[in-house]
Amino acid sequence: MKYLLFLGTVRDSAPPKPARLGLRVARACLKHLAAFQSEHEVELIDPMDYDLSVPFKPQFSYAKGQAPKELDELAQKIKQADGYIMVSPEYNHTMSPALSHLLNHFGSSLFSYKPSVIVTYSAGQWGGVRAAMSMRGILSELGCLPVSAMTNIPKAQEVFKEDGNFQEGQNQQHWDNYLARGFLQLEWWAQATKQKRAEVNPNEVTQAFKKDPSQRNAP
């Protein structure tokens, strides 16, 4: 399987501390997958590595070959991936604007017919669970339906070190079991959808919306 792990934060200032708490969570997820599902390929997508255009112009709005190279390269990675890991903090009871902004640069046809898993975190006690609920609708609209097991990590700075390893005193077995719930569901659905896509090209059965909003209209 090929997975992309999207990190949903561009915050690089404090307070609160640490400034890039989400990077710890992302690294912890990568370490877990390397330890327990090492046969899979996982790549971290950090929005701070992308210079997104202002004013907003999504990758699919450019003429072929005219989009910024980094957007075309990421579009190809999204298309080739078998599943997605979405890591987000919570802002005003919803998902990270950095993550939604990055995802909005790409059409749903790149994500469709594949699974995703939601991982949220916070410096406080709620673990970003309200962000997770808002992410379900967005990921479903993109076509990469989220698995039922969500991972919510409260007080993430007390759980993970900067390198993604566990802080002293944490019950590593408990956390590994908790993380595994979502990742094992992701693997199951990723394998199932990959096999089905090999049998039937879903884009030939249901044409993607590409040109006019009327393509989505009821008769």
Side-chain angles (χ1 to χ4, degrees):
M1 298 292 104
K2 293 183 179 180
Y3 298 135
L4 296 183
L5 189 157
F6 284 85
L7 174 58
T9 177
V10 293
R11 189 171 190 162
D12 197 21
S13 61
K17 295 182 179 180
R20 295 214 79 195
L21 181 56
L23 193 53
R24 300 184 180 207
V25 177
R27 287 169 176 162
C29 291
L30 293 172
K31 286 179 178 292
H32 178 93
L33 289 164
F36 296 99
Q37 299 183 31
S38 57
E39 69 276 16
H40 303 319
E41 177 184 333
V42 188
E43 181 178 353
L44 172 64
I45 305 298
D46 188 338
M48 290 191 71
D49 294 336
Y50 295 87
D51 182 17
L52 301 177
S53 61
V54 178
F56 173 74
K57 187 172 184 179
Q59 183 266 347
F60 54 80
S61 290
Y62 289 89
K64 187 174 182 179
Q66 298 301 310
K69 181 180 178 182
E70 59 183 4
L71 286 186
D72 275 345
E73 289 177 347
L74 182 51
Q76 194 61 26
K77 290 178 181 180
I78 294 170
K79 183 177 181 179
Q80 293 174 349
D82 298 303
Y84 311 96
I85 302 158
M86 302 292 181
V87 178
S88 178
E90 179 179 319
Y91 285 86
N92 296 323
H93 294 197
T94 192
M95 70 182 291
S96 157
L99 179 57
S100 61
H101 182 57
L102 178 59
L103 296 178
N104 284 338
H105 278 78
F106 304 97
S108 61
S109 59
L110 299 178
F111 293 92
S112 290
Y113 306 102
K114 304 167 192 175
S116 61
V117 63
I118 295 171
V119 180
T120 59
Y121 65 91
S122 69
Q125 64 180 327
W126 303 115
V129 66
R130 292 168 295 199
M133 300 313 297
S134 71
M135 291 168 71
R136 284 197 175 280
I138 292 172
L139 295 175
S140 296
E141 177 63 20
L142 286 175
C144 54
L145 273 64
V147 300
S148 64
M150 296 187 300
T151 301
N152 313 115
I153 305 171
K155 300 181 181 179
Q157 72 281 4
E158 298 178 10
V159 179
F160 301 118
K161 298 178 182 178
E162 187 175 355
D163 63 1
N165 287 317
F166 291 98
Q167 298 279 14
E168 286 75 11
Q170 290 293 329
N171 186 329
Q172 182 172 343
Q173 185 63 52
H174 172 83
W175 280 108
D176 282 337
N177 290 341
Y178 181 57
L179 290 168
R181 292 173 64 252
F183 292 141
L184 288 173
Q185 286 189 10
L186 178 71
E187 180 184 19
W188 195 96
W189 282 108
Q191 289 177 346
T193 55
K194 183 175 185 177
Q195 179 179 334
K196 189 63 176 178
R197 290 196 309 275
E199 296 173 0
V200 180
N201 183 348
N203 294 315
E204 293 180 356
V205 177
T206 303
Q207 295 296 315
F209 160 62
K210 292 184 176 181
K211 295 182 178 180
D212 191 288
S214 65
Q215 291 178 278
R216 288 184 173 178
N217 290 351

